[in-house]
Amino acid sequence: MDEIIVLQTLYSLLVQNKTNRVSLVRLQTEINENALMNRLVPCTGKQVLSVHDILEIIKRLFPKKTSLTEGQLTFYNLQLGEMRDTLFELFERIKNELTSQISESEPLIDVLIKDKTTSQRTRLLVLCRDTLLNKFEEHGRSKMYLKSVGEGAVKEPLDLELIRKRTPASILELQAWLQMCVANATMFHQSGSQEWRDARASQGELDETIGFVRSVLE
């Protein structure tokens, strides 16, 4: 990137001066005041180009075609058209290199974005899970769900402690788990018993809790 900035600045000065000579001090000043250079320095932490840096770049670009006398750089057998072509070639090369680097980095960036998004979603779902469980446990009847009921008699025993250890894939899945607790208790206990009536009553408490959490999320 330094090469293209030096060459672009040098080309502009030579065109303005209409000569094959340019002041090294002015060249350095123009380079380090270049808009692109000013953007690169804060991003990369790299210092501005020194006189030595500029001379080394010019030697690479114009081997054995320059001399320095009393602060003046003189270019021999220099064709501005060739310099312009070199500038375009440098631009294309750097553009292709950057494009290639970006293409190689895109899969890694996609993974990072996906991981970050997944992590944020997971944290949100865990927060919703804990909030919903804490709110539901404020109701006295929720104590009947601290331990699974009907083990061996219901298809999928489930309790609040087990739910607290799980990370739901969605709010709907979390709601389904809690609903299963109520359904298991309702089916397991004898119809008309106190436990059965408590399970039926807790359905309303669960609906109220879910409604509250959804209203907060919205």
Side-chain angles (χ1 to χ4, degrees):
M1 188 64 73
D2 291 345
E3 285 186 352
I4 197 169
I5 293 173
V6 170
L7 188 58
Q8 178 190 18
T9 307
L10 181 59
Y11 176 78
S12 298
L13 290 176
L14 289 172
V15 170
Q16 290 173 15
N17 296 341
K18 297 181 180 180
T19 180
N20 65 336
R21 302 178 69 191
V22 64
S23 165
L24 183 57
V25 173
R26 185 180 178 191
L27 177 61
Q28 183 192 21
T29 301
E30 293 287 339
I31 288 171
N32 290 323
E33 289 181 355
N34 182 282
L36 180 57
M37 181 65 75
N38 289 333
R39 288 188 179 186
L40 289 174
V41 169
C43 295
T44 62
K46 184 178 180 180
Q47 298 299 314
V48 293
L49 293 179
S50 66
V51 170
H52 175 74
D53 294 331
I54 294 170
L55 289 175
E56 287 298 314
I57 291 172
I58 289 175
K59 285 180 182 179
R60 290 199 303 270
L61 293 173
F62 307 99
K64 299 180 180 180
K65 290 185 178 182
T66 62
S67 66
L68 178 63
T69 306
E70 296 181 352
Q72 294 288 319
L73 268 172
T74 303
F75 293 82
Y76 301 103
N77 301 320
L78 180 65
Q79 299 294 326
L80 290 178
E82 292 180 3
M83 182 181 286
R84 185 180 62 247
D85 292 341
T86 302
L87 185 59
F88 288 145
E89 289 172 5
L90 270 176
F91 173 78
E92 285 298 321
R93 190 193 75 194
I94 292 173
K95 183 183 73 173
N96 292 334
E97 288 176 355
L98 291 175
T99 301
S100 176
Q101 290 174 10
I102 291 171
S103 297
E104 292 174 0
S105 301
E106 280 180 344
L108 298 175
I109 294 172
D110 289 341
V111 170
L112 289 174
I113 292 175
K114 184 177 180 180
D115 288 346
K116 183 177 180 181
T117 303
T118 301
S119 177
Q120 290 175 339
R121 176 177 173 79
T122 299
R123 288 197 296 269
L124 178 60
L125 287 169
V126 168
L127 178 61
C128 290
R129 178 202 65 196
D130 292 344
T131 301
L132 200 154
L133 288 175
N134 291 339
K135 184 67 178 175
F136 184 51
E137 287 173 352
E138 290 178 2
H139 299 286
R141 294 187 182 90
S142 67
K143 291 184 175 61
M144 66 186 300
Y145 303 115
L146 294 178
K147 297 294 181 182
S148 300
V149 297
E151 291 192 24
V154 297
K155 185 176 181 180
E156 186 178 347
L158 199 57
D159 57 63
L160 300 185
E161 289 302 314
L162 185 57
I163 291 174
R164 198 176 285 278
K165 295 176 183 177
R166 294 180 175 181
T167 300
S170 65
I171 300 298
L172 288 176
E173 184 174 46
L174 177 59
Q175 182 178 347
W177 290 344
L178 289 165
Q179 188 63 59
M180 184 173 292
C181 289
V182 176
N184 286 347
T186 303
M187 290 186 294
F188 177 73
H189 294 296
Q190 184 177 355
S191 179
S193 66
Q194 184 61 49
E195 291 85 355
W196 180 84
R197 289 197 298 272
D198 287 342
R200 291 290 299 272
S202 69
Q203 178 66 61
E205 295 169 350
L206 176 59
D207 292 341
E208 177 188 335
T209 301
I210 292 172
F212 169 78
V213 173
R214 284 188 176 278
S215 67
V216 171
L217 292 175
E218 293 173 357

